[in-house]
Amino acid sequence: MNIIELHDSAWRQLAARRAQLPHALLLSGQRGVGKFDLARRFAESLLCEDLGDGSRACGACPACGWLAQGNHPDLRVLQPNALVEGEVTEAGDGEEAGKKKASLQITIDQVRALDEFLHVGTHRQRARVVLLNPAEAMNRATANAILKSLEEPIAGTLFILISSEPSRLLPTIRSRCQSIPVQVPARATASEWLRQAGVSDGEQSLALAGGSPLLALELGGKNERILLDALIAQVSRGRDLEPLAAAAILDKTVKAEKRPAPLKRTVDWAQKWLFDLTLASAGLPPRYFLAQASLLQRLAKATDARKLLAFNRKAIQYKAQCEQPVNSRLFLEEFFLNYAKLF
Ligand SMILES: [Zn+2]
């Protein structure tokens, strides 16, 4: 099963736009659902020069060959360098501040480099496609530069914006895009997709990933799992948690992470943990951490709904804070000190 079969409905919506291509599409959906892969497949199908009766790229023509090598002259993929190089540490952590960091944002230089691309004719007389992934990784200047391109659309040129957080895009950008939501696939379909991808505990990974199959796949690998397991090891301790030691351990893990926004991802996981703890305190089964169901029940007995509610409110602030450059060690210390107070 491939990404197109996994997202059959979104794919059909995309294919329906083929006859009269809009200037911009916005593919939105939760993290790890497969938006980027789907967008990429759509771009490929627009550039393929031997599209058969279906709507999928043939994989055999010269255009498909360049696409496979990542050098088709009519496709540009704009994403933060951090996503491409995998070389980044959380912005603002003191010790690393001296080193040059791969950008977490799509930079203005990347957008400026589009100018020439957009203003010479297409190389292969088909569409010209620009993927922006993730679109929320644009700062104000970058977004305004892109907005200009969207305001003065160029024939045959399609911008595909990909976003897990479309509410963070400029409204003026959103309004110029045709929106295609990419839903979480049905549980059975996603499980089958994961099984075919070689994930054995698909159900558990899928629950952890909130139903996002690509994130579930990532959880099978070591990267995200290291972060998550480090967090679980600490939050599981409840009353026995040593907040400062826990913060030190997590901080080390976060700093060793090569991919973007490890602190933010940690907070995301922590929020899911709290969500499950809140469910447990109401006597309900977990939504994300299936493997820890009985542990959650035990922890929930040691706290109460009022404390959980207060901490959940705090967690929303944490999420906003970690979008800013923060000292990750201090941030984690505060988080764990407050978490410990639950019990
Ligand atoms: Zn082809």
Side-chain angles (χ1 to χ4, degrees):
M1 190 189 304
N2 61 35
I3 194 79
I4 295 176
E5 288 150 356
L6 187 66
H7 289 297
D8 181 51
S9 146
W11 181 258
R12 275 187 278 118
Q13 291 185 55
L14 285 168
R17 267 131 176 125
R18 176 182 291 285
Q20 200 183 2
L21 217 52
H23 298 298
L25 288 170
L26 171 60
L27 263 63
S28 58
Q30 72 179 35
R31 178 188 168 207
V33 81
K35 304 178 291 295
F36 177 68
D37 289 13
L38 195 67
R40 170 119 204 154
R41 293 298 286 270
F42 185 57
E44 287 170 2
S45 78
L46 293 173
L47 298 170
C48 171
E49 294 169 10
D50 193 15
L51 205 65
D53 46 352
S55 54
R56 300 177 192 189
C58 74
C61 69
C64 283
W66 295 317
L67 287 165
Q69 289 163 20
N71 57 8
H72 193 293
D74 293 321
L75 175 68
R76 287 285 186 282
V77 180
L78 266 56
Q79 41 189 353
N81 281 333
L83 268 184
V84 183
E85 297 166 11
E87 285 171 6
V88 71
T89 54
E90 186 70 13
D93 48 14
E95 292 165 38
E96 304 285 340
K99 293 186 198 164
K100 189 178 183 309
K101 289 169 190 165
S103 178
L104 288 170
Q105 296 207 312
I106 296 171
T107 62
I108 190 76
D109 288 341
Q110 284 174 291
V111 177
R112 285 195 184 121
L114 273 183
D115 262 3
E116 200 183 338
F117 172 72
L118 294 174
H119 293 102
V120 297
T122 62
H123 293 80
R124 302 294 294 180
Q125 287 74 48
R126 281 167 196 271
R128 178 164 37 200
V129 186
V130 180
L131 295 184
L132 287 162
N133 177 56
E136 64 270 17
M138 293 189 285
N139 61 25
R140 185 56 77 124
T142 318
N144 280 328
I146 284 291
L147 186 59
K148 264 202 198 102
S149 300
L150 297 181
E151 281 170 338
E152 300 155 17
I154 304 158
T157 302
L158 172 66
F159 281 82
I160 307 181
L161 284 69
I162 294 138
S163 181
S164 312
E165 297 170 275
S167 61
R168 289 178 59 193
L169 303 179
L170 289 179
T172 41
I173 286 192
R174 272 205 311 272
S175 68
R176 283 183 168 76
C177 298
Q178 286 189 17
S179 175
I180 299 198
V182 183
Q183 312 283 359
V184 170
R187 200 46 78 102
T189 314
S191 290
E192 177 57 18
W193 184 84
L194 277 173
R195 197 189 59 74
Q196 290 181 14
V199 177
S200 50
D201 66 339
E203 284 298 319
Q204 283 186 16
S205 302
L206 209 51
L208 270 174
S212 281
L214 277 80
L215 180 57
L217 186 62
E218 215 180 310
L219 289 172
K222 56 184 181 359
N223 286 326
E224 192 70 13
R225 197 71 230 189
I226 292 172
L227 196 65
L228 180 58
D229 286 345
L231 178 70
I232 293 177
Q234 298 306 325
V235 290
S236 302
R237 301 179 67 184
R239 202 166 276 172
D240 299 327
L241 178 76
E242 292 171 33
L244 299 184
I249 292 167
L250 249 294
D251 187 46
K252 217 170 146 192
T253 314
V254 161
K255 286 197 170 118
E257 256 292 320
K258 295 281 186 275
R259 293 166 317 137
L263 191 61
K264 186 175 171 209
R265 295 194 332 258
T266 307
V267 173
D268 274 341
W269 288 121
Q271 269 191 320
K272 287 180 171 161
W273 178 264
L274 284 172
F275 186 87
D276 276 359
L277 198 55
T278 310
L279 286 178
S281 81
L284 296 167
R287 174 163 167 195
Y288 301 107
F289 294 87
L290 304 188
Q292 283 79 22
S294 55
L295 175 68
L296 283 159
Q297 295 291 345
R298 275 205 307 283
L299 286 175
K301 287 202 181 85
T303 181
D304 62 53
R306 189 182 50 81
K307 284 182 186 164
L308 275 168
L309 185 67
F311 192 69
N312 270 310
R313 279 206 202 99
K314 261 208 159 47
I316 294 168
Q317 291 169 18
Y318 287 143
K319 188 141 185 201
Q321 276 172 24
C322 72
E323 304 262 340
Q324 313 297 326
V326 291
N327 179 317
S328 56
R329 178 72 173 265
L330 292 180
F331 178 89
L332 288 164
E333 285 181 357
E334 188 190 325
F335 171 82
F336 282 117
L337 282 166
N338 280 306
Y339 179 78
K341 285 185 197 152
L342 281 176
F343 306 101

